[in-house]
Every structure is written in C-alpha cells, then in structure tokens.
Amino acid sequence: MAAPHRWRSRTIAQHVGEDEKLLGAVAPPIFQNTLFVQEDWDAFTRSAEALEGPPYLYSRLTNPTLQVAEKKIAALEGTESCKLLGSGMAAMSGAIMARVEAGSHVVCVDSVYGPTRKFLTDYLCRFGVETSYVVGEDPQEVFDACRPKTSLIFLESPSSLLYRLQDLGAIGSWARERGISTAIDSTYSTPLNQNPAAFGIDTVCHTVSKYLGGHSDVIGGAICCSAERMRGITFGEAELFGTVMSPFNAWLVNRSMRTLHLRVRAVAETADRVANWLRGRDEVARVFHVGLPDFPQAELRDRQMRGWGGLLTFEPRDQRVEWVRPFTEALRVYRLGVSWGGHESLVVPLEVQPMDWPEKRWIVRLYCGLEDPEDLLEDLEQAFAKVAAG
Ligand SMILES: *Cc1c(COP(=O)(O)O)cnc(C)c1O
C-alpha cells in the first residue's frame, strides 16, 4: 500500500518504487516471467491474496516491474493504489464495469472519448445498463441527469477535442453524499497537472499510450483509486478480463516517467505559441486551447489544474472539406494521425457536433510534439499558403 509521499512530483517520478536495487541496478530490470515459485506453503497462500507483492503469484495479477511504475503513478496521483493495464480502454471499460450491474444507470459527459462512449452505449446496453449524456460544464445539469438507479458518473476533464472541463469538486462531493461513484478519464492532464482524487473523484483513469508512455511505443492504461476499490478491480475486471500490461511495456513506462515533467512542459509551451499564432490567422475562426488567457473556463481551470499539454484545436473559417483535406495533407512536420502525447506532432481533421452546437463543424486538432516550435509554425504557414494557392 503506497504511503502518502512527501516528495515533490519530480523526485517521486525518479525514485518512488525503486528502494530495492537488485544487484545495484539503477534502472530496475524487467521481470519477464509469467509465474513466481514460493519457498513454503504460507508464502504460497499469501501470494494468492496479495494486492501487491512480494510474494508474487502470477503476472496476470501483478509483477514487480509493473509495481515500480504503479507506485510512482499512485504517489503522483495521490491515491493508495494504481494498476497498469494493457490499454487506456482497458482502464476506462474496467473502471466502468466495476461500478455497474444489470439495470444500472450511468451519467457521462457528451465529449467523452469515442470508444468509451461506444462501450457505454453500444456494448453495456446488452446488460441493461443505460447511459445519459450531459454537456457537463454546469454541475447542476449532471445532478439533474441522475436517477435512483444511477451508480456512476463518468467524467473526462478536459476532454480531448474541445477541452471542456467539469467541476470536479462540486460533482465529487455531491455524488459521494449520495453513494454514487465517480470516475474520470484524466489522460489530458497526466497526474502532474490535475489530481481528481483530491477533489473527491473515486477512480482516476489514464491512457498510458499518451504522455505517460510519451514516445509512441507503448499501448497502456492505468486505474488509480483506493486500495479497497483496487481489490475489487484486481480480482475482478483485471484478473477476469486479463487486461494486465506486459512487463516490457511497464519497463518502458518507468523509463518514461523520469522525463514526464520535462516533456509535458515543453509541449505545453509549444502549444501556447502555436495557439497564439493561429489566433492571428485569417484562415482560423476559433482556437480551442486550455492555456489561452481567455479560455472560457479559465477560473475553473486555475482552481483544479496546475497546467496543460500540447493539444489544441482550431475551427477553420472555410468549412468545406475541399479546404480541410488539402490543408491537412499539405502539412509536413505535423503528420496525419490519431493519438497524441508522444514525441511527434500530429494533425487530425474531424467533423463534430457536440450536444450544444446547432450543427456539425469541421475542426482540426493539432498535437504539438517535441520538435522545434519554429519548424511547426513554418509548417503551418506553408500549408496555409499551399491551400490558398490551390
Ligand atoms: C487514447 C485515449 C484513450 C484510449 O487509450 P488506448 O490506450 O488507445 O486504449 C482514452 N481516452 C483518451 C482521452 C484518449 O486520448
């Protein structure tokens, strides 16, 4: 069980979970083994019940390499436990499954990650679980959507296309008083920029495939919560769906944790520059970026977040696909692709209609990576020029 750590986040990321140096190795080695053998009957019995090792039983439950990174993430997030899983979706679907039963009702934000919505609406309906969607910016709208059968409120703040926030403190305390569980997809923020558990949110989910992995070479997820909730997930969703992360991926995550603060700060600075530059362009109708001084939810942002990341989105003035397509294809440094949080800049064009928009609009999401910001600005400049030239 992780004791609350008095170290600051950068020190936690280097040292927590690494007290024991096997043969003096400063980089913890990979335990690439499926099972663990025990010296005696008692250890064998204890290994089967342990939420954390030693003793360890079997790597589908837990493994020493996973525990190194799990202890860091739990300490950064301020929760008793963290569990690394095979993907972000294993974290989202596992956290949801842990809090619903046949006939349950879920309240979820409309701006939630697409596959999470698909899981709630298209998959869980098979088991009689119903989901209501809300914009989520006004906590009262969330409360009003709850029913007697509501067992879970699922949040994503900020969301990952238009960066909408929910008031974590207001929703967390209201739900707790009524015995309704709360969970959040906090991938955008990483544990460095937001700690939802401090605001009363029960379960904090991350996609490790983004900033936590950080080099576009790991698919992974994490669930952070109390030890009691984690016991249910470890011997429930994680054990039974078999969604554990591989030791090699956990080793890569541990490597990545050491530079998390450097990477997130660098991409946020670049995104600030790009967002401000885009605001001065005639081709751009609106820029969405958490770091803008006039971000619509700036007061809430400053209350519950410590910073932001490298994502931003703009709405092109020319809404024809004949503009959006050649623009995204003209970019050279920003590559056309989903995902974000790695070293490389990315662009993804999408036609979206949030609940509170009267119509569909084309948006262009940019992820600013670790390249030189000058090269990114030049890339955007040449793409705007190329589309204008036809
Ligand atoms: C990528 C992403 C996920 C899913 O993560 P995977 O590791 O791809 O399963 C979930 N939520 C958000 C916000 C994401 O960006």
Side-chain angles (χ1 to χ4, degrees):
M1 213 154 299
H5 243 283
R6 264 174 289 140
W7 277 337
R8 288 159 189 84
S9 58
R10 289 161 63 162
T11 313
I12 289 173
Q14 309 315 320
H15 298 303
V16 168
E18 299 184 35
D19 299 342
E20 212 176 312
K21 299 264 184 263
L22 207 82
L23 302 180
V26 289
I30 310 177
F31 283 83
Q32 190 70 36
N33 51 302
T34 56
L35 78 144
F36 299 81
V37 292
Q38 310 299 339
E39 290 303 324
D40 54 44
W41 181 289
D42 284 346
F44 184 64
T45 308
R46 276 188 291 125
S47 71
E49 292 159 6
L51 198 55
E52 283 182 8
Y56 296 91
L57 179 76
Y58 188 56
S59 292
R60 196 179 76 241
L61 292 171
T62 187
N63 166 293
T65 308
L66 272 72
Q67 276 192 18
V68 175
E70 287 171 347
K71 283 185 177 161
K72 290 189 204 301
I73 296 170
L76 291 174
E77 202 54 275
T79 55
E80 285 177 325
S81 299
C82 166
K83 187 152 197 68
L84 283 174
L85 299 167
S87 70
M89 276 315 295
M92 308 311 153
S93 58
I96 293 168
M97 283 302 276
R99 307 316 309 171
V100 296
E101 56 188 34
S104 291
H105 175 251
V106 177
V107 175
C108 181
V109 288
D110 168 56
S111 49
V112 76
Y113 180 68
T116 305
R117 187 185 185 114
K118 186 171 159 191
F119 179 69
L120 284 165
T121 300
D122 300 347
Y123 191 89
L124 283 183
C125 66
R126 283 209 236 158
F127 308 100
V129 175
E130 262 190 83
T131 301
S132 303
Y133 292 93
V134 291
V135 176
E137 289 178 3
D138 176 4
Q140 192 59 47
E141 185 205 5
V142 178
F143 308 156
D144 291 345
C146 288
R147 305 176 187 168
K149 292 285 252 178
T150 305
S151 62
L152 175 68
I153 298 174
F154 195 93
L155 308 174
E156 185 176 321
S157 179
S159 61
S160 64
L161 291 176
L162 297 171
Y163 322 111
R164 295 184 148 190
L165 311 190
Q166 298 103 53
D167 188 329
L168 305 184
I171 297 170
S173 58
W174 184 90
R176 207 161 263 192
E177 278 168 27
R178 285 157 185 81
I180 298 173
S181 291
T182 48
I184 185 171
D185 182 339
S186 196
T187 303
Y188 175 97
S189 296
T190 83
L192 294 184
N193 283 332
Q194 173 172 282
N195 296 129
F199 293 93
I201 302 299
D202 300 319
T203 307
V204 183
C205 305
H206 287 284
T207 300
V208 170
S209 320
K210 311 294 161 60
Y211 294 120
L212 294 176
H215 300 67
S216 302
D217 53 11
V218 173
I219 293 284
I223 295 181
C224 301
C225 60
S226 68
E228 187 196 337
R229 280 175 191 268
M230 192 59 84
R231 181 162 288 283
I233 290 169
T234 297
F235 297 107
E237 291 72 27
E239 180 187 359
L240 304 179
F241 294 124
T243 52
V244 72
M245 179 180 276
S246 76
F248 179 63
N249 276 1
W251 183 83
L252 287 172
V253 174
N254 194 44
R255 172 274 330 245
S256 298
M257 293 305 295
R258 307 195 192 285
T259 56
L260 180 63
H261 63 285
L262 297 170
R263 292 183 285 104
V264 173
R265 199 196 313 133
V267 297
E269 281 173 16
T270 301
D272 288 346
R273 269 200 70 187
V274 172
N276 278 304
W277 183 85
L278 284 171
R279 291 225 288 191
R281 298 290 310 196
D282 289 340
E283 298 90 340
V284 172
R286 270 201 282 185
V287 177
F288 303 87
H289 174 52
V290 177
L292 289 173
D294 57 353
F295 177 66
Q297 294 174 286
E299 187 272 326
L300 181 58
R301 172 195 68 195
D302 297 341
R303 190 147 39 90
Q304 65 189 25
M305 297 173 72
R306 287 185 290 270
W308 43 87
L311 283 177
L312 64 109
T313 299
F314 74 88
E315 187 183 308
R317 215 173 278 288
D318 190 336
Q319 280 285 308
R320 293 169 310 137
V321 71
E322 292 78 17
W323 187 91
V324 180
R325 180 181 167 147
F327 173 76
T328 51
E329 287 178 345
L331 291 165
R332 285 288 160 261
V333 187
Y334 285 99
R335 301 299 303 268
L336 187 53
V338 296
S339 196
W340 44 278
H343 54 285
E344 76 289 22
S345 289
L346 295 161
V347 57
V348 50
L350 288 156
E351 205 180 15
V352 297
Q353 185 180 10
M355 279 171 84
D356 54 341
W357 284 15
E359 58 186 13
K360 276 191 167 181
R361 305 287 292 170
W362 276 103
I363 56 170
V364 177
R365 186 181 75 180
L366 297 172
Y367 168 66
C368 302
L370 293 168
E371 300 94 342
D372 193 306
E374 295 301 330
D375 291 324
L376 296 176
L377 294 178
E378 277 179 28
D379 192 32
L380 292 164
E381 173 104 59
Q382 66 80 27
F384 281 136
K386 195 165 171 193
V387 182

